[in-house]
Amino acid sequence: MRQLRLQDRTLTEDDVFVIAEIGSNHGGDPDLCERMICEAARAGADAVKLQKRDNRAMFTKTALAKPYENEFSYGKTYGEHRERLDWFGEAEFRRFKAVCDQLGVLFFATPFEPGSAAFLHRLGMPLWKIASCDVTNHPLVEQVASYGEPIILSTGGASLRDLAILCDKLNKWNPNYAVLHCVSLYPNQDHELNLATITRYRELLDDKLIGFSSHHPGVLPLMIARSLGASIFEVHFTLNRATRGTDHGFSLEPHGLEKAVEDLQRVRTMLGSPEKSATLDAERRGFVSKMGKGVYLKRPLPLGAVVTPEDIVIKSPAGDGLKPYEADRIIGRELIADCSTGVDLGEGMFR
């Protein structure tokens, strides 16, 4: 059975679990971050996620010193830009965790290097996210797996071989994990989504929950992913898509997140059953009974009359008798009682 065991619940394929990825959309403002958490909770998110990185440990000096002056920049160099966004420390993370606890949503974060993983572990993360960029970073994944908590793994940019190698190791380190289809292009265009990968993942990982981490500005891909069997959904979240930053434009605003949460819960109900009989009785009691067709006489006939093609007509309502395609079964047979034009003809009325 596919499942992911969390502290207070076990997710299965019947569940929808929505993660509001705040990422760096808070712009380095803790008050804004808290507002975003509250709005995500109000919209119905099950969890809120941040990111944690020590930029000096993660990037080379050359990468940090690279000029980064553009419309999205928070600094003249990439290092200055990242430090403006990634400065939150223990006090801020404990504050956010307390807010999430009060609101009843799960709080966790993505670590991007070992120091940040250790930092988050000290805070007691109930769930871990491995970013797409670290699918091949087995030392970091092994460190996170050693903490014993559930893991969700994004797979943007990873080949099936990369995924298979990591899953083989994760099955030994910590088998309580789920895999999210992801395309690491920001934002995704429709033709880049490749949502059929979800079906492939379900075939390859038959005991794991499969999800979808979206970088698409719309909610339709989420619904398609759900119809293909995804249960866990990560969506980037913002209060205003027009805000400066690389991720805001494809993030969901509060109303969009609320609508996504609501509609994702409806998809499985809409899919229903592959058995056509599931709704037949209700259909027949209503529209089909009223507008469907039955077999009737054009004129009253007495007991013993032999029915000819000229004696019958197809009319509504359908009734409980013969279907129109069965009308030829009574041609040439005798009525066993007088019959009027208002009675739909049935098999038991003839000999």
Side-chain angles (χ1 to χ4, degrees):
M1 179 181 179
R2 298 177 191 271
Q3 62 180 30
L4 184 71
R5 300 184 307 279
L6 304 180
Q7 287 183 333
D8 60 348
R9 64 187 289 197
T10 297
L11 300 180
T12 71
E13 289 185 283
D14 292 331
D15 295 305
V16 169
F17 190 79
V18 179
I19 302 162
E21 161 68 299
I22 291 178
S24 299
N25 280 353
H26 49 66
D29 181 344
D31 293 334
L32 175 58
C33 188
E34 182 172 329
R35 282 181 53 209
M36 295 176 74
I37 291 172
C38 293
E39 286 297 318
R42 185 197 61 77
D46 297 283
V48 170
K49 190 178 81 67
L50 296 183
Q51 299 174 359
K52 179 61 179 172
R53 57 174 65 81
D54 178 341
N55 292 306
R56 290 179 178 81
M58 178 177 174
F59 295 102
T60 64
K61 291 181 179 180
T62 300
L64 293 175
K66 187 176 179 180
Y68 196 73
E69 296 186 79
N70 56 58
E71 60 180 317
F72 301 127
S73 177
Y74 283 85
K76 292 183 178 180
T77 65
Y78 189 65
E80 291 178 0
H81 167 77
R82 288 254 55 101
E83 285 304 310
R84 170 71 183 276
L85 299 175
D86 299 327
W87 67 269
F88 293 163
E90 183 171 343
E92 290 72 29
F93 270 78
R94 290 195 181 279
R95 170 185 173 183
F96 304 145
K97 185 176 184 300
V99 172
C100 285
D101 289 345
Q102 183 178 9
L103 295 172
V105 296
L106 204 66
F107 174 76
F108 70 114
T110 302
F112 284 85
E113 30 68 39
S116 291
F119 168 89
L120 294 171
H121 178 53
R122 290 195 300 272
L123 298 181
M125 293 293 103
L127 177 64
W128 292 84
K129 169 71 184 297
I130 299 297
S132 293
C133 60
D134 284 313
V135 169
T136 59
N137 187 0
H138 292 186
L140 178 63
V141 179
E142 184 175 14
Q143 177 185 351
V144 169
S146 73
Y147 299 142
E149 301 297 343
I151 297 169
I152 56 175
L153 171 68
S154 269
T155 56
S159 67
L160 289 178
R161 182 173 181 272
D162 292 333
L163 177 60
I165 291 171
L166 180 55
C167 287
D168 183 60
K169 293 191 174 184
L170 263 178
N171 288 336
K172 300 169 186 174
W173 297 335
N174 180 351
N176 189 24
Y177 66 91
V179 174
L180 309 188
H181 169 56
C182 178
V183 176
S184 293
L185 298 172
Y186 305 86
N188 299 154
Q189 304 298 319
D190 288 0
H191 68 279
E192 297 166 337
L193 285 167
N194 207 31
L195 290 170
T197 302
I198 292 169
T199 303
R200 186 68 183 279
Y201 282 0
R202 285 173 55 82
E203 294 170 351
L204 296 174
L205 303 167
D206 58 7
D207 64 337
K208 303 301 179 187
L209 280 187
I210 305 301
F212 173 48
S213 178
S214 178
H215 300 136
H216 190 282
V219 298
L220 178 59
L222 303 173
M223 308 307 143
I224 297 172
R226 179 59 174 158
S227 72
L228 292 173
S231 301
I232 301 172
F233 301 88
E234 182 184 46
V235 295
H236 285 249
F237 181 65
T238 184
L239 297 186
N240 186 344
R241 283 187 170 187
T243 305
R244 176 163 55 99
T246 55
D247 292 356
H248 290 278
F250 63 83
S251 298
L252 297 185
E253 294 176 333
H255 177 72
L257 178 60
E258 184 176 14
K259 183 64 173 172
V261 170
E262 176 186 331
D263 285 352
L264 281 168
Q265 298 287 353
R266 300 167 61 196
V267 171
R268 201 169 178 89
T269 301
M270 291 181 180
L271 287 175
S273 168
E275 301 300 327
K276 184 66 170 71
S277 60
T279 58
L280 283 181
D281 287 344
E283 291 175 287
R284 287 169 177 167
R285 288 194 301 269
F287 173 81
V288 174
S289 175
K290 179 180 179 181
M291 304 298 289
K293 306 299 189 295
V295 182
Y296 292 84
L297 293 175
K298 289 182 180 178
R299 57 189 175 86
L301 292 178
L303 166 68
V306 176
V307 177
T308 68
E310 290 72 27
D311 292 323
I312 62 174
V313 66
I314 307 301
K315 287 190 174 184
S316 297
D320 297 318
L322 297 168
K323 294 179 172 60
Y325 64 74
E326 298 173 318
D328 59 350
R329 287 164 49 179
I330 61 174
I331 302 301
R333 294 170 63 183
E334 295 181 11
L335 280 164
I336 61 175
D338 293 347
C339 188
S340 72
T341 59
V343 178
D344 62 305
L345 303 180
E347 183 70 33
M349 301 167 66
F350 303 88
R351 63 169 174 256

